[in-house]
Amino acid sequence: MVIVTEAMVLEKERQNAARREALNKRSQKLSHVTEPDPNFPPECCCVKPIIYHNIREQVPVPQQRFMYILAGLYITLMVLIIYNIVAALVAFILGGNVTHFGLSFLFLLGIPGAWISWYYNVYCAVVYSSRPRQKLALLGLFLGVAFDVWMAVGVTGFGGCGWLYAFSLMRNVTSFVMILISAILWSLHGFALCVVMLRYWRVSGTLLRHRENIYGQSIV
């Protein structure tokens, strides 16, 4: 008959704890090997990458063209937001609305907002075939189109350099031309994003229901 002592129990617990620690270290090493290091956003000053983003490696080949188009729209959005501020500044210098110029900086939030609300949700939905991400992506794309429409309309005093603000500055040719260009670009971007949203809405549901088609059917 084996007598179990307290020392034996403590020793067994110590061995189990050591075994668990070894397993945890091994799993951490394996996850470090299998998961690539974050590469986005690019490291700059105090900003460090927080996610891994690589269309060529992660996105199925038939969907890569669609993701490149979406990435192009996102980059275009960043340029448009910067141009919107420049146009508002020029209009302000030439006698435009000071409140309009000040509020134009608020739309810088659209850069991370667009990434979070529609671009990255679509990216994750395509990469991981995630239905929740697909629904969030559709909602985000709709909000993105609504944002473009708001900017294209350009209500005076609200920061968006669109059609209404352009027509209010028709007496100043320089301001009018810059704001008009902004209005046209916002309209084109909104139209393109709307087309992408409708195409994604039509195809993404089928791809999620028949996940084997994700490698054979493209969104665009």
Side-chain angles (χ1 to χ4, degrees):
M1 181 177 179
V2 179
I3 300 176
V4 179
T5 63
E6 184 178 355
M8 294 172 63
V9 173
L10 292 175
E11 177 64 19
K12 190 65 175 179
E13 289 181 354
R14 187 189 65 79
Q15 292 176 0
N16 290 337
R19 190 176 292 110
R20 284 195 299 270
E21 185 177 356
L23 288 173
N24 288 335
K25 288 182 179 180
R26 181 180 297 179
S27 63
Q28 289 175 3
K29 289 181 180 179
L30 288 175
S31 64
H32 180 72
V33 171
T34 56
E35 295 179 5
D37 294 330
N39 64 352
F40 192 90
E43 187 169 358
C44 178
C45 299
C46 60
V47 178
K48 293 185 178 181
I50 56 176
I51 61 169
Y52 181 75
H53 174 270
N54 192 318
I55 294 176
R56 183 171 296 179
E57 291 184 4
Q58 290 190 303
V59 177
V61 174
Q63 319 309 329
Q64 288 184 6
R65 181 167 176 258
F66 172 76
M67 286 309 307
Y68 280 122
I69 292 173
L70 204 65
L73 287 174
Y74 177 70
I75 293 171
T76 304
L77 176 71
M78 292 191 291
V79 175
L80 279 175
I81 289 175
I82 300 300
Y83 181 80
N84 186 83
I85 295 175
V86 173
L89 172 62
V90 172
F92 166 63
I93 293 174
L94 298 178
N97 191 302
V98 61
T99 305
H100 195 94
F101 168 61
L103 289 178
S104 66
F105 285 93
L106 183 64
F107 296 116
L108 286 171
L109 295 174
I111 295 176
W115 172 271
I116 295 170
S117 64
W118 52 269
Y119 178 79
Y120 194 59
N121 277 322
V122 174
Y123 183 85
C124 290
V126 172
V127 171
Y128 304 112
S129 297
S130 170
R131 186 169 295 278
R133 285 284 192 176
Q134 180 228 13
K135 295 183 182 300
L136 289 173
L138 287 171
L139 176 61
L141 286 168
F142 176 78
L143 293 176
V145 173
F147 177 78
D148 282 352
V149 170
W150 170 258
M151 297 299 286
V153 171
V155 179
T156 302
F158 285 88
C161 294
W163 295 101
L164 294 181
Y165 193 46
F167 292 140
S168 70
L169 298 172
M170 291 184 66
R171 295 181 180 179
N172 190 308
V173 177
T174 303
S175 299
F176 173 72
V177 170
M178 289 198 68
I179 305 299
L180 183 64
I181 292 173
S182 176
I184 293 172
L185 292 177
W186 279 117
S187 300
L188 292 175
H189 189 273
F191 175 76
L193 192 61
C194 184
V195 171
V196 167
M197 178 188 69
L198 293 175
R199 181 61 182 170
Y200 179 71
W201 175 62
R202 288 183 58 189
V203 178
S204 61
T206 303
L207 291 177
L208 287 174
R209 284 194 299 271
H210 308 283
R211 296 186 181 185
E212 66 277 4
N213 291 342
I214 198 168
Y215 293 97
Q217 180 181 359
S218 63
I219 297 177
V220 294

